[in-house]
Amino acid sequence: MKKEFIFIGPPGSGKGTQTKMLSKEYNLPHIDTGSLLREEVASGSDEGKLANSFMEKGQLVPIDLVSKIIKNRLMKNDCKEGFILDGYPRSMEQAEALDKILSEIDKNTNVEPQVFYFDVSQDKLVERLVNRRSCPKCGAIYNIKTMHLKDETICEKCGSKLTRREDDTEEVAVKRFQTYFAQTAPLIELYKKRGQLSSIDASLDINTIYKNLTGAIK
Ligand code: AMP
């Protein structure tokens, strides 16, 4: 049976870390719209420039661009057995767009995505964001406050220099929260009503969250 997972949660709720672990164990592609958009920005394309003008303000990138990226990605061969969506949909209109995309892709199946909501209080989040560092080479994510790295600037998995995301400053983080509460949080009710939502307490430690998450998979 095809497995389709959607992750919703505020910035810094740990979706990236958990979805990467899940992707490895279940051998499903991890589709993270934030990373796909950052790649587009790095390519220097006109679409990347457009995306960046929204990302640097903590706003959602226009739906046409995001839907195009997601549709192209979901149609790739490696999504045949399923996928993990991290950071999409992020608004009611994106949820409608996804319904449409999936009705085309899954025409002859009755598979329904399971939606995980990462629930965590806001005060923990800004702190997690400003202490977040990531490895541009292997994708590892670190919290320099809680993880006690030998060297805060170096990836312990592959030795590359760690980077800090441009939008992980306190100022942009606050805007990203506002965007989340205004546009993304209403999706929780939508998927709850549809019976697709599982709530995960994302304030716990990484391994406990992962255990609860995999335990909740239907
Ligand atoms: P993230 O890496 O998930 O925190 O996303 C970083 C930024 O990329 C967000 O603040 C948005 O500007 C943009 N972004 C990511 N996913 C989406 C999406 N589904 N729709 C619109 N913009 C997005």
Side-chain angles (χ1 to χ4, degrees):
M1 170 89 163
K2 192 174 177 186
K3 288 202 172 340
E4 299 182 344
F5 300 127
I6 294 175
F7 284 76
I8 296 174
S13 57
K15 299 187 304 294
T17 302
Q18 298 291 331
T19 44
K20 278 184 187 140
M21 289 161 79
L22 195 65
S23 163
K24 246 193 187 157
E25 186 182 340
Y26 279 69
N27 199 22
L28 292 172
H30 169 229
I31 303 174
D32 160 14
T33 40
S35 295
L36 292 174
L37 288 165
R38 280 187 288 279
E39 277 168 25
E40 197 65 52
V41 173
S43 79
S45 69
D46 286 344
E47 289 186 333
K49 286 185 187 126
L50 174 73
N52 198 36
S53 66
F54 290 87
M55 292 166 81
E56 64 190 8
K57 287 188 261 171
Q59 296 171 353
L60 294 186
V61 169
I63 185 164
D64 292 348
L65 176 53
V66 182
S67 296
K68 187 174 125 192
I69 291 177
I70 282 290
K71 188 167 182 190
N72 288 341
R73 184 66 191 84
L74 290 179
M75 286 178 66
K76 289 202 171 148
N77 242 348
D78 64 343
C79 292
K80 278 221 164 81
E81 298 300 318
F83 50 79
I84 298 168
L85 277 182
D86 172 5
Y88 183 93
R90 278 199 199 199
S91 65
M92 283 294 188
E93 59 169 354
Q94 289 187 9
E96 280 170 28
L98 179 63
D99 284 345
K100 220 168 134 212
I101 294 170
L102 292 182
S103 69
E104 287 169 31
I105 292 177
D106 294 330
K107 239 182 245 143
N108 303 316
T109 58
N110 55 0
V111 55
E112 193 170 65
Q114 187 174 1
V115 182
F116 293 99
Y117 162 48
F118 272 30
D119 190 8
V120 54
S121 73
Q122 201 185 338
D123 30 317
K124 279 208 167 189
L125 296 171
V126 175
E127 198 188 284
R128 277 194 193 169
L129 288 181
V130 297
N131 289 310
R132 175 162 68 181
R133 300 290 182 275
S134 51
C135 175
K137 197 162 171 222
C138 73
I141 303 170
Y142 300 95
N143 181 317
I144 53 166
K145 194 161 174 214
T146 59
M147 286 176 148
H148 309 295
L149 303 182
K150 270 187 236 123
D151 179 342
E152 287 183 357
T153 64
I154 302 292
C155 176
E156 295 203 338
K157 292 198 175 123
C158 75
S160 301
K161 199 165 166 43
L162 294 176
T163 54
R164 181 181 180 185
R165 277 174 46 175
E166 278 177 28
D167 59 355
D168 274 349
T169 61
E170 202 155 340
E171 195 195 347
V172 185
V174 169
K175 300 233 173 72
R176 286 159 67 204
F177 285 120
Q178 289 166 350
T179 304
Y180 172 80
F181 286 109
Q183 302 192 57
T184 311
L187 296 180
I188 298 163
E189 276 312 306
L190 172 79
Y191 289 117
K192 199 190 266 176
K193 270 194 206 137
R194 290 191 187 173
Q196 288 172 259
L197 195 83
S198 303
S199 242
I200 300 290
D201 179 353
S203 64
L204 306 170
D205 65 276
I206 291 178
N207 292 330
T208 311
I209 298 173
Y210 190 67
K211 199 169 138 243
N212 293 344
L213 165 65
T214 47
I217 289 176
K218 288 178 183 146

